[in-house]
Amino acid sequence: MANITKKVSWSSRGDESGPAGEETPLLNGSEQSRPLTQVHQVLRSTLRGRPKEIPHNEKLLSLKYEVKPVASKIVIFSIIGSMRTSQCLIELIRASFLASLTHIFSDIVKFTEAGGLSISLILWVVLNCVFVMLGAIMVAFFEPIAAGSGIPQIKCYLNGVKIPRVVRLKTLLVKVLGVICSVVGGLAVGKEGPMIHSGAVVAAGVSQGRSTSLKRDFKIFEYFRRDTEKRDFVSAGAAAGVSAAFGAPVGGVLFSLEEGASFWNQMLTWRIFFASMISTFTLNFILSIYHNKPGDLSNPGLINFGRFESEVMEYNLYEIPLFMGMGALGGMLGALFNVLNYWLTIFRIRYVHRPCLQVMEAMLVAAVTATVAFIMIYFSTDCQPLGPDHNEEYPLQLFCADGEYNSMATAFFNTPERSVRSLLHNPRGTYNALTLGLFTLTYFFLACWTYGLSVSAGVFIPSLLIGAAWGRLCGILLTWADPGKYALIGAAAQLGGIVRMTLSLTVIMVEATGNVTYGLPIMLVLMTAKIVGDYFQEGLYDIHIKLQSVPFLHWEAPATSHWLTAREVMSSPVTCLNRIEKVGTIVDILSNTSTNHNGFPVVAQVSADDEPAKLCGLILRSQLIVLLKHKVFVELARSRLSQRKLQLKDFRDAYPRFPPIQSIHVSQDERECMMDLTEFMNPTPYTVPQETSLPRVFKLFRALGLRHLVVVDDANRVVGLVTRKDLARYHLGKHGLEELQLAQT
Amino acid sequence: MANITKKVSWSSRGDESGPAGEETPLLNGSEQSRPLTQVHQVLRSTLRGRPKEIPHNEKLLSLKYEVKPVASKIVIFSIIGSMRTSQCLIELIRASFLASLTHIFSDIVKFTEAGGLSISLILWVVLNCVFVMLGAIMVAFFEPIAAGSGIPQIKCYLNGVKIPRVVRLKTLLVKVLGVICSVVGGLAVGKEGPMIHSGAVVAAGVSQGRSTSLKRDFKIFEYFRRDTEKRDFVSAGAAAGVSAAFGAPVGGVLFSLEEGASFWNQMLTWRIFFASMISTFTLNFILSIYHNKPGDLSNPGLINFGRFESEVMEYNLYEIPLFMGMGALGGMLGALFNVLNYWLTIFRIRYVHRPCLQVMEAMLVAAVTATVAFIMIYFSTDCQPLGPDHNEEYPLQLFCADGEYNSMATAFFNTPERSVRSLLHNPRGTYNALTLGLFTLTYFFLACWTYGLSVSAGVFIPSLLIGAAWGRLCGILLTWADPGKYALIGAAAQLGGIVRMTLSLTVIMVEATGNVTYGLPIMLVLMTAKIVGDYFQEGLYDIHIKLQSVPFLHWEAPATSHWLTAREVMSSPVTCLNRIEKVGTIVDILSNTSTNHNGFPVVAQVSADDEPAKLCGLILRSQLIVLLKHKVFVELARSRLSQRKLQLKDFRDAYPRFPPIQSIHVSQDERECMMDLTEFMNPTPYTVPQETSLPRVFKLFRALGLRHLVVVDDANRVVGLVTRKDLARYHLGKHGLEELQLAQT
């Protein structure tokens, strides 16, 4: 008890809250308002180290300070969970809208039967194209980052890569409106990816307590205006999104962990789980009101795969190899999907980069989708009787006799979610084999063409639909079995083959079907699909991440990379700053586009001949910019106190849109001033010796969520700097370890 | 591609496989058989650093080498999963045994009704005492570590603390036989903790491919004979144990993560999940054969809480505050339980430390339990009619009229698992309030007295039973509600109040009841119970861990500890070794009981006046012992090659029972030899500067699974060493940060 001395440490607050704490520009509470002292004094303290004794009651103050964020956090995580409400409402509105649209289609067909089919086709195509055009215009012209499912972007964000505008309010709006347009426009898309993305945006927004777009600052939750905190909230939001979409709170937590969090933190996981649970709960509550059964909180998520009853869905040991065969097939089909989409994306990057071209392509896809569906339905002869046990809520009669419905139309013109459910649950004989085969084929190519368009659209449900269709086909061909079971396995195999998730997807599928019996088969299928698929091509999300040249760090260092040491990997020579540095030098370094690092080692004294100097600390570009903006200079010549005080608040207010260096005006006089970095730098950055192997460096980055790591020699002198890009360059290709050329962006 | 040079790095292999990689005494494959070179050469290489260029085809060799462990791992994880089989069988045998025992009891009572009740009581007490005596003798005399539930021990093991004999074959045997004796002996115990512990032991054993107790080495899986690998397997085994016990594969994974893994590793989690799934699957398969329905793989775990149907088990919004109130009550009762057990344990440590006393105490508890139960049943008037909807498999008539059964006897003389199920599911009016109240009261004190006896026994099921009883009581008093629902909430509250798990327990309860509807209420209840309970006293497992003086690291550094820096925390001065060190010095250092560290920094040159010297690497006590045992000495005087080659295998063979230093004989001549540590030490240990704050040091330990961290000054000279004990000393007490005095063991 007695021998614990309490000291002030500048970097201390940043340490307590998860990864990348070392990069946080925080000042310790007790010295926040201390004015900058005279240069002499600064220089003296520089020599003797800064920690000072402080009075005892500081501890109490600090304790109080700790409690508040925790309480706020719980509040925020609840809000995140329940803010999903808005999206649920949108979802319900859309569902009603869509139901009426299906009727319109039916009516169009009937109405125009007199006038000829061509008119009804044209009417339908035009209707679809208009919706898709609206969606595509929003995305292409206003917020291109809102295109696609958003999962690759969230993956990168959680991995620690800052992608601009991913979690902005504008992105959220475009995303939500865009996905409504895509789904209503009849494209082969799902809404799950966008839901997960928008969950993440809501979380990020709520946690900051302000909107920079709306220029409103509610002055709350200021504590969380830091990258690491925001990242925690984003992972909770993504989990809540999964939870609401699939009714899978545990699956949501595992999704966040599998895709994002590198540092397993119990409290964080607990909060994520809490947000997921609240999200499921809120959704259930709203759905119970919508279904006129308030209080019945046992509804699953928005996508209801229907409950599988154990009695009818038993499986036997001999079926497991069969399932694994289907897993392999799913892996191959998934790889084919990914290869085709890869080529398509390359083509798009080269030739379809103008917004108006993108809108036109989206409209073309919409027209083709509608036409193909129309033709398929027209030539389909798969009319099924409307029996008492049919599960269709909106059976489409179309060209069938009265009392029958067209099963091809059921597959094509329902929402994809409802089609999946009917494939999984409808009794034998609802679909014939030809219908399923043709549907699989056309939908496969349509979905492949659709993913990557400039519309807001997910790939989850289309994959499930393709898989369920060919899975049911397998089930029908193996005549003794229940086709619904095989449809489930096929859906898992196809989705696993495309996105290559395993752990979280197993749990999501188990939770969405409400039956743990299929846990092991689904797991084996997903594993097989991943192994087979990885043999040919990467997962779809990884392909898109790679095409965007993002320095994405995978879970482990590439095998065989232990031949490499930090010396080979690091960037060298590295731009260092002195503890007391001339303002002009700092401005020049920040303006220099070739030194585009975000962190700079601070050293004792940069020598003239570029000899390495002893490491003192690390300072971030954003910190330097805030310091310059507030002109925290000391003027050596006059040897007087600089009047400018800098507080914690100044750093938080600037977050997250730090101004570029060009916008900060520094006069010629000011360029001659000095800036004392000692008080603002992180005095104990993580370092490694030069001989450290790459896997070891990699582990530090992953476990601690670092962005820069200083490489020192055996006398603690700076010899280099390892950044995420340096690590992401190496990956295991077909010919062993390969080094990528990353774009200099 | 071209500019990647491949280098040999000694510590490389250790890096790839999870935390604590830096402590692994591994030699790189390519140089395994290289004899020690002449001293001059060594000294030269010492100066120039060791990495050397190696031919290109080494890479291929290395790739091949990587693949094998992965394949073996998958095999082992499958084996772990299915090895649970044996335990399932034991479980089934025990269940049948117990069923017959219940009948025996019934018969005894009837048989002796003529001869008077006292005889039947005595017979019953004697029968119970004999079983408990057997169990207690095994534990007290043969393997004291097998006492209790085993979860605290597994927690410590996964936390990185080596506890002797926790994962030995003998422990497993004593544990399994002991828990059978305890349950059959009628103690207020469960078998879940022991199942989890024995799952961990099976996993550890299988992964090593040998048994040191049986002196059999199967020469397989040699790759895994390292602490970090073994730890991974132990966590998989614990997860498989939970999975088999509760039918909760996801809960098992989360249990392992919550209690153990600090470094979130996707592959590891995936493997743990796989083992859990296989475990559930195997159990289901065996149960399906046992129930004469082979192929029906939809049985839940061994403890079947019964399926809650959503329709009858709805809850409403207004019930949530009620649930939280019950959570608070559970937290208080749990804290009371823990306080009582804490005092009892202190008493036991002081006065009941001799094995024969421990056996006698266990017998006393058995006798009292039997007597109390007998008296309660005798005076109970709660006779219920044997209706068509009664769920009891073994109704006990006892002192009731024909066609009725004694409901107090149902609560007392069934297995605790069955009692829980009947409390959760039986319709209204099965139990009256007085029965439940009395039962709660007596069982609470009996369970509290029982936990901590020298018998193998868990606290999970007794807690659930107590909670279910008072929960059902609440349900009955609130007359409008279904009592089963309140029993479930009460069970969760009581268990949460005692063990203070939250995340994993929520998922386990959800999976065990097969209904996700109760996820949110259970979560809220567990959270409330934890918060209320923590206000009074720590969790039961944490109390027992603390009483054993284990340097256990919690998830986060204590709040307010950022005042402390590495300088205050570290042990200093630290014993360092030279790169080329005299054998005599090493033997003396290892023999010296005051320097009981397990890792020693290796420095360039220890100066005479204890000035800090420059850090070169870190070497472990176990490595030094293996080196001494194999006499890897270089004789400076004769300047000739030492003939002794040391291979990777030598380190693996010695694992995990490294001989004590006293058993290694070093002659006086040999003491004069030198030992070259350069080739065996870890050349790039993790280091921190002296000013690093405690939370930062803590984060490094937790994220990387370290056991020692070298503290250096700004010229990279060793000034101290931080160990787990140094960190575990600090914790947040009622009066702020407190420093514990740890026993010097």
Side-chain angles (χ1 to χ4, degrees):
Chain A
M1 263 311 276
N3 66 347
I4 303 176
T5 51
K6 283 158 286 297
K7 305 224 167 169
V8 177
S9 160
W10 286 98
S11 68
S12 54
R13 183 63 40 71
D15 274 317
E16 304 146 24
S17 36
E22 100 285 14
E23 308 187 358
T24 328
L26 286 188
L27 304 177
N28 186 290
S30 64
E31 303 206 12
Q32 275 180 33
S33 51
R34 199 163 64 92
L36 288 176
T37 47
Q38 276 190 286
V39 177
H40 306 296
Q41 206 172 328
V42 168
L43 287 173
R44 211 179 311 131
S45 78
T46 302
L47 292 170
R48 309 183 55 230
R50 282 156 309 81
K52 290 167 199 66
E53 297 283 341
I54 53 148
H56 179 79
N57 60 356
E58 279 298 324
K59 197 171 66 179
L60 293 174
L61 204 151
S62 156
L63 258 175
K64 191 181 138 209
Y65 193 69
E66 306 274 324
V67 171
K68 208 182 138 201
V70 171
S72 323
K73 263 189 192 169
I74 290 176
V75 172
I76 294 180
F77 277 97
S78 314
I79 296 176
I80 290 169
S82 39
M83 274 291 275
R84 312 276 323 150
T85 310
S86 54
Q87 291 181 294
C88 304
L89 288 177
I90 290 170
E91 177 50 31
L92 292 176
I93 293 165
R94 190 170 64 192
S96 327
F97 190 52
L98 203 61
S100 54
L101 212 65
T102 322
H103 282 294
I104 292 175
F105 177 70
S106 222
D107 290 344
I108 288 176
V109 173
K110 276 193 188 138
F111 175 74
T112 55
E113 250 172 325
L117 275 168
S118 50
I119 296 172
S120 79
L121 172 61
I122 288 167
L123 259 174
W124 184 240
V125 166
V126 168
L127 199 63
N128 278 355
C129 281
V130 168
F131 278 112
V132 171
M133 189 183 71
L134 288 176
I137 285 174
M138 276 191 290
V139 171
F141 287 94
F142 294 104
E143 195 57 272
I145 200 88
S149 77
I151 293 182
Q153 286 87 341
I154 294 297
K155 266 182 89 156
C156 292
Y157 190 93
L158 292 180
N159 195 261
V161 184
K162 272 194 182 178
I163 295 186
R165 302 193 313 283
V166 162
V167 290
R168 294 279 163 86
L169 183 63
K170 196 169 146 196
T171 312
L172 174 66
L173 283 179
V174 171
K175 197 105 208 174
V176 170
L177 294 178
V179 78
I180 293 181
C181 291
S182 319
V183 173
V184 174
L187 290 179
V189 297
K191 61 182 188 295
E192 285 58 40
M195 278 192 77
I196 294 165
H197 185 173
S198 46
V201 182
V202 170
V206 171
S207 74
Q208 301 300 296
R210 69 172 164 189
S211 163
T212 40
S213 307
L214 300 183
K215 307 228 173 4
R216 288 289 294 269
D217 190 338
F218 296 99
K219 306 276 180 203
I220 46 171
F221 306 139
E222 291 174 344
Y223 182 82
F224 304 121
R225 293 182 186 169
R226 286 155 48 193
D227 273 354
T228 56
E229 294 287 338
K230 200 166 167 181
R231 205 151 74 200
D232 289 356
F233 285 106
V234 169
S235 45
V242 174
S243 169
F246 298 98
V250 182
V253 174
L254 288 176
F255 174 85
S256 270
L257 289 176
E258 189 170 11
E259 298 300 338
S262 55
F263 182 79
W264 168 267
N265 178 313
Q266 200 185 19
M267 272 318 287
L268 172 62
T269 312
W270 176 244
R271 284 180 204 132
I272 292 176
F273 192 32
F274 186 66
S276 290
M277 275 286 178
I278 292 274
S279 166
T280 309
F281 176 79
T282 315
L283 177 70
N284 271 341
F285 188 69
I286 293 172
L287 283 182
S288 76
I289 292 168
Y290 177 76
H291 292 141
N292 277 326
K293 285 186 277 180
D296 175 13
L297 299 179
S298 56
N299 285 295
L302 287 177
I303 296 153
N304 186 350
F305 291 149
R307 205 175 184 80
F308 282 88
E309 293 306 328
S310 315
E311 302 84 56
V312 291
M313 293 294 285
E314 280 168 17
Y315 65 93
N316 248 305
L317 267 187
Y318 65 81
E319 290 184 289
I320 286 184
L322 219 61
F323 291 159
M324 287 175 76
M326 287 174 72
L329 181 60
M332 279 185 274
L333 286 177
L336 178 66
F337 188 100
N338 293 357
V339 168
L340 290 177
N341 196 271
Y342 175 74
W343 289 340
L344 197 64
T345 310
I346 295 278
F347 177 84
R348 279 181 184 142
I349 289 173
R350 282 206 195 129
Y351 303 108
V352 198
H353 43 73
R354 285 173 54 199
C356 50
L357 279 178
Q358 290 173 343
V359 172
M360 279 165 67
E361 195 201 357
M363 285 171 67
L364 178 65
V365 175
V368 170
T369 307
T371 314
V372 167
F374 208 89
I375 293 170
M376 298 283 283
I377 292 168
Y378 184 70
F379 288 106
S380 162
T381 52
D382 190 4
C383 290
Q384 303 288 346
L386 269 173
D389 60 343
H390 78 96
N391 294 324
E392 305 307 321
E393 289 175 65
Y394 308 105
L396 290 166
Q397 183 184 346
L398 299 183
F399 312 110
C400 290
D402 284 347
E404 292 190 333
Y405 68 96
N406 187 313
S407 90
M408 184 64 101
T410 312
F412 258 113
F413 277 111
N414 267 318
T415 57
E417 288 85 355
R418 204 172 282 138
S419 305
V420 171
R421 195 160 66 222
S422 88
L423 283 168
L424 295 187
H425 288 287
N426 278 9
R428 283 196 79 76
T430 316
Y431 297 91
N432 70 33
L434 187 68
T435 309
L436 289 173
L438 281 174
F439 177 76
T440 305
L441 200 71
T442 48
Y443 210 80
F444 183 88
F445 289 107
L446 286 175
C448 188
W449 192 10
T450 309
Y451 189 78
L453 282 181
S454 310
V455 294
S456 167
V459 77
F460 250 72
I461 292 294
S463 312
L464 285 174
L465 187 52
I466 297 166
W470 65 254
R472 198 176 171 96
L473 184 62
C474 294
I476 289 175
L477 298 180
L478 309 165
T479 44
W480 73 87
D482 177 39
K485 179 165 66 177
Y486 285 85
L488 176 66
I489 298 295
Q494 183 67 54
L495 183 53
I498 290 175
V499 302
R500 310 284 161 77
M501 285 192 267
T502 43
L503 185 59
S504 53
L505 207 50
T506 308
V507 178
I508 289 173
M509 296 288 286
V510 165
E511 286 189 283
T513 54
N515 196 324
V516 83
T517 318
Y518 277 85
L520 187 78
I522 289 176
M523 185 172 209
L524 288 173
V525 162
L526 288 173
M527 232 154 79
T528 320
K530 184 179 166 60
I531 291 167
V532 172
D534 280 348
Y535 181 79
F536 297 106
Q537 178 71 315
E538 284 178 293
L540 188 62
Y541 298 143
D542 293 320
I543 289 176
H544 282 261
I545 287 171
K546 204 183 245 176
L547 284 174
Q548 286 164 27
S549 303
V550 173
F552 189 85
L553 290 193
H554 287 278
W555 280 100
E556 286 179 24
T560 74
S561 67
H562 51 266
W563 309 108
L564 284 166
T565 65
R567 198 202 317 262
E568 279 103 12
V569 169
M570 69 190 184
S571 314
S572 173
V574 56
T575 317
C576 294
L577 298 172
N578 284 319
R579 294 177 85 144
I580 314 275
E581 183 64 272
K582 232 177 100 183
V583 172
T585 315
I586 294 176
V587 173
D588 290 344
I589 286 173
L590 292 182
S591 310
N592 184 349
T593 48
S594 69
T595 58
N596 56 354
H597 284 162
N598 282 311
F600 299 93
V602 179
V603 294
Q605 185 66 48
V606 177
S607 59
D609 52 349
D610 267 344
E611 273 294 295
K614 201 162 276 187
L615 178 72
C616 298
L618 185 84
I619 196 157
L620 301 181
R621 175 182 287 265
S622 60
Q623 286 172 301
L624 289 174
I625 284 180
V626 173
L627 292 179
L628 286 175
K629 194 174 149 202
H630 291 90
K631 308 212 181 294
V632 191
F633 309 145
V634 279
E635 289 163 62
L636 265 182
R638 285 179 239 166
S639 183
R640 66 165 179 85
L641 268 179
S642 167
Q643 294 306 308
R644 184 73 212 162
K645 295 175 191 176
L646 202 62
Q647 301 197 349
L648 191 53
K649 195 175 163 298
D650 295 314
F651 286 103
R652 283 184 186 157
D653 282 351
Y655 182 84
R657 303 192 187 178
F658 296 106
I661 180 71
Q662 288 77 12
S663 73
I664 293 172
H665 181 71
V666 178
S667 71
Q668 203 58 39
D669 269 5
E670 284 169 341
R671 284 181 68 89
E672 295 304 315
C673 291
M674 302 301 278
M675 210 152 99
D676 180 13
L677 306 179
T678 315
E679 313 210 18
F680 306 104
M681 71 186 187
N682 170 4
T684 56
Y686 293 109
T687 59
V688 286
Q690 303 178 69
E691 295 81 26
T692 315
S693 65
L694 180 59
R696 210 173 172 78
V697 172
F698 201 95
K699 206 165 75 178
L700 267 172
F701 265 77
R702 280 301 267 165
L704 302 171
L706 300 185
R707 280 189 186 149
H708 337 89
L709 185 63
V710 184
V711 182
V712 293
D713 65 6
D714 62 355
N716 204 27
R717 288 173 304 195
V718 179
V719 292
L721 191 72
V722 179
T723 62
R724 295 180 75 88
K725 279 193 185 169
D726 296 323
L727 294 183
R729 264 187 309 164
Y730 297 97
H731 81 127
L732 197 67
K734 280 182 186 152
H735 312 290
L737 203 61
E738 289 172 3
E739 188 177 348
L740 295 177
Q741 295 298 328
L742 288 181
Q744 290 296 324
T745 49
Chain B
M1 258 320 268
N3 66 346
I4 302 177
T5 51
K6 283 159 285 300
K7 305 225 167 170
V8 176
S9 160
W10 284 100
S11 68
S12 54
R13 183 64 37 73
D15 276 317
E16 305 146 25
S17 37
E22 100 286 14
E23 307 186 1
T24 328
L26 286 187
L27 303 178
N28 187 290
S30 63
E31 303 206 12
Q32 274 179 31
S33 51
R34 198 163 63 94
L36 289 175
T37 47
Q38 276 190 286
V39 176
H40 305 296
Q41 207 174 325
V42 166
L43 287 172
R44 211 178 311 131
S45 77
T46 301
L47 293 169
R48 308 183 54 231
R50 282 155 313 80
K52 292 164 197 66
E53 298 281 343
I54 53 148
H56 180 79
N57 60 356
E58 278 299 324
K59 196 170 70 183
L60 294 175
L61 204 151
S62 156
L63 256 176
K64 190 181 137 209
Y65 193 69
E66 307 273 325
V67 170
K68 209 183 136 199
V70 170
S72 324
K73 262 188 193 170
I74 289 175
V75 171
I76 295 181
F77 277 96
S78 314
I79 296 175
I80 290 171
S82 39
M83 275 289 275
R84 310 278 322 155
T85 310
S86 53
Q87 290 180 295
C88 304
L89 288 177
I90 291 171
E91 177 52 31
L92 291 177
I93 294 165
R94 193 171 60 193
S96 327
F97 189 51
L98 203 60
S100 55
L101 211 66
T102 322
H103 283 294
I104 292 175
F105 176 70
S106 222
D107 290 345
I108 289 177
V109 173
K110 274 188 192 146
F111 175 75
T112 54
E113 250 172 326
L117 276 167
S118 50
I119 296 172
S120 76
L121 172 62
I122 289 167
L123 259 175
W124 183 241
V125 167
V126 168
L127 198 64
N128 277 356
C129 282
V130 169
F131 278 112
V132 171
M133 190 184 69
L134 287 176
I137 286 174
M138 276 192 290
V139 172
F141 287 95
F142 294 106
E143 196 56 274
I145 200 89
S149 76
I151 294 181
Q153 286 86 342
I154 294 297
K155 266 183 89 156
C156 292
Y157 190 93
L158 293 180
N159 194 260
V161 184
K162 272 193 182 177
I163 294 186
R165 302 192 313 284
V166 162
V167 291
R168 293 280 161 86
L169 183 63
K170 198 169 144 197
T171 312
L172 174 67
L173 284 179
V174 170
K175 197 106 207 174
V176 170
L177 295 177
V179 78
I180 294 181
C181 291
S182 319
V183 173
V184 173
L187 290 179
V189 298
K191 60 181 188 295
E192 285 58 41
M195 279 192 75
I196 294 165
H197 186 174
S198 45
V201 182
V202 169
V206 171
S207 74
Q208 301 300 296
R210 68 172 165 189
S211 161
T212 40
S213 309
L214 301 183
K215 309 232 173 357
R216 289 288 294 270
D217 191 338
F218 296 99
K219 305 277 178 203
I220 47 171
F221 307 138
E222 291 174 343
Y223 182 82
F224 305 121
R225 292 182 187 170
R226 286 155 46 192
D227 273 353
T228 55
E229 295 286 338
K230 201 167 167 182
R231 205 151 72 200
D232 288 356
F233 286 106
V234 168
S235 45
V242 174
S243 169
F246 299 97
V250 181
V253 174
L254 289 175
F255 175 84
S256 270
L257 289 176
E258 190 170 10
E259 298 300 337
S262 55
F263 182 79
W264 169 267
N265 178 312
Q266 201 185 18
M267 272 318 288
L268 172 62
T269 312
W270 176 244
R271 284 180 204 133
I272 293 176
F273 192 32
F274 186 65
S276 288
M277 276 286 180
I278 291 275
S279 167
T280 309
F281 176 78
T282 315
L283 177 72
N284 271 341
F285 189 68
I286 293 172
L287 283 181
S288 75
I289 291 167
Y290 176 77
H291 292 141
N292 278 327
K293 285 186 276 180
D296 175 15
L297 299 178
S298 56
N299 284 296
L302 286 176
I303 295 152
N304 187 350
F305 290 149
R307 207 178 182 80
F308 282 89
E309 293 307 327
S310 314
E311 301 86 56
V312 290
M313 292 294 284
E314 283 169 15
Y315 65 93
N316 246 304
L317 267 187
Y318 65 81
E319 289 183 289
I320 286 183
L322 220 60
F323 292 159
M324 288 176 75
M326 287 174 72
L329 181 59
M332 279 185 274
L333 286 177
L336 178 66
F337 188 99
N338 293 359
V339 168
L340 291 177
N341 197 270
Y342 175 74
W343 289 339
L344 197 62
T345 310
I346 295 277
F347 177 83
R348 279 182 184 140
I349 289 174
R350 281 205 196 129
Y351 303 108
V352 199
H353 45 74
R354 284 173 53 200
C356 51
L357 279 178
Q358 290 173 341
V359 172
M360 280 166 65
E361 197 203 356
M363 286 171 67
L364 178 65
V365 174
V368 170
T369 307
T371 313
V372 167
F374 207 88
I375 293 169
M376 299 282 284
I377 293 168
Y378 183 72
F379 288 106
S380 163
T381 52
D382 189 4
C383 289
Q384 303 288 346
L386 269 173
D389 60 343
H390 78 96
N391 295 324
E392 305 308 319
E393 288 175 67
Y394 307 105
L396 290 166
Q397 185 185 344
L398 298 183
F399 312 110
C400 290
D402 282 349
E404 292 190 333
Y405 68 96
N406 188 312
S407 89
M408 184 65 100
T410 312
F412 259 112
F413 277 111
N414 268 318
T415 57
E417 290 83 356
R418 206 172 281 137
S419 305
V420 172
R421 194 159 68 222
S422 88
L423 284 169
L424 295 186
H425 288 286
N426 279 9
R428 283 196 79 76
T430 315
Y431 297 90
N432 70 33
L434 186 67
T435 309
L436 289 173
L438 281 174
F439 177 77
T440 306
L441 200 70
T442 49
Y443 209 81
F444 183 88
F445 289 107
L446 286 175
C448 187
W449 192 8
T450 310
Y451 190 78
L453 283 182
S454 311
V455 294
S456 169
V459 76
F460 250 72
I461 292 292
S463 312
L464 285 175
L465 188 52
I466 297 166
W470 64 254
R472 198 177 170 96
L473 184 62
C474 294
I476 290 175
L477 298 180
L478 308 167
T479 42
W480 72 89
D482 176 38
K485 177 165 68 176
Y486 285 85
L488 176 67
I489 297 295
Q494 183 66 55
L495 183 53
I498 290 175
V499 302
R500 311 283 161 76
M501 286 192 265
T502 44
L503 185 58
S504 53
L505 207 51
T506 308
V507 178
I508 288 173
M509 296 288 285
V510 165
E511 286 188 284
T513 54
N515 195 324
V516 83
T517 317
Y518 277 85
L520 187 78
I522 288 176
M523 186 173 208
L524 289 173
V525 162
L526 288 174
M527 232 155 79
T528 320
K530 184 179 165 61
I531 290 167
V532 172
D534 279 349
Y535 181 79
F536 297 106
Q537 179 72 316
E538 282 178 292
L540 189 60
Y541 298 143
D542 294 321
I543 289 176
H544 281 261
I545 287 171
K546 204 182 246 175
L547 284 174
Q548 286 162 27
S549 305
V550 173
F552 187 86
L553 291 193
H554 288 278
W555 280 100
E556 287 178 26
T560 74
S561 66
H562 51 268
W563 309 108
L564 285 167
T565 65
R567 199 202 318 262
E568 279 104 11
V569 169
M570 69 191 185
S571 313
S572 173
V574 58
T575 316
C576 295
L577 298 173
N578 284 319
R579 294 177 85 144
I580 314 277
E581 183 65 272
K582 232 177 98 182
V583 172
T585 315
I586 293 176
V587 172
D588 290 343
I589 286 173
L590 292 183
S591 310
N592 184 350
T593 47
S594 69
T595 60
N596 56 355
H597 283 162
N598 282 311
F600 299 93
V602 179
V603 295
Q605 185 65 50
V606 176
S607 59
D609 52 348
D610 267 344
E611 274 293 296
K614 201 163 273 186
L615 178 72
C616 299
L618 186 83
I619 196 155
L620 300 182
R621 175 181 288 264
S622 61
Q623 285 173 300
L624 289 174
I625 283 181
V626 173
L627 293 179
L628 284 176
K629 194 176 149 203
H630 290 92
K631 308 213 182 293
V632 191
F633 308 145
V634 279
E635 289 163 59
L636 264 181
R638 287 180 237 166
S639 184
R640 66 166 178 85
L641 268 181
S642 168
Q643 294 305 308
R644 184 73 210 163
K645 296 173 190 174
L646 201 61
Q647 301 197 351
L648 190 52
K649 195 174 161 299
D650 295 313
F651 286 103
R652 282 183 185 158
D653 281 350
Y655 183 84
R657 301 192 188 178
F658 296 106
I661 181 70
Q662 288 77 12
S663 74
I664 293 170
H665 180 71
V666 178
S667 70
Q668 203 57 40
D669 268 7
E670 284 169 341
R671 283 181 68 91
E672 296 302 316
C673 292
M674 303 299 278
M675 211 153 98
D676 179 13
L677 306 178
T678 315
E679 312 211 19
F680 306 103
M681 71 186 187
N682 169 4
T684 55
Y686 293 109
T687 59
V688 286
Q690 304 179 68
E691 295 81 25
T692 315
S693 65
L694 179 60
R696 210 172 173 81
V697 172
F698 200 94
K699 206 164 76 178
L700 266 172
F701 265 76
R702 280 301 267 164
L704 302 171
L706 299 185
R707 279 187 189 151
H708 337 88
L709 184 64
V710 184
V711 182
V712 293
D713 65 5
D714 61 355
N716 205 28
R717 289 173 304 195
V718 179
V719 291
L721 190 72
V722 179
T723 63
R724 296 180 75 88
K725 279 192 185 168
D726 297 322
L727 293 184
R729 263 187 307 164
Y730 297 97
H731 82 126
L732 197 66
K734 281 183 184 148
H735 312 289
L737 204 60
E738 288 173 2
E739 188 177 347
L740 296 177
Q741 295 299 326
L742 287 184
Q744 290 297 324
T745 48

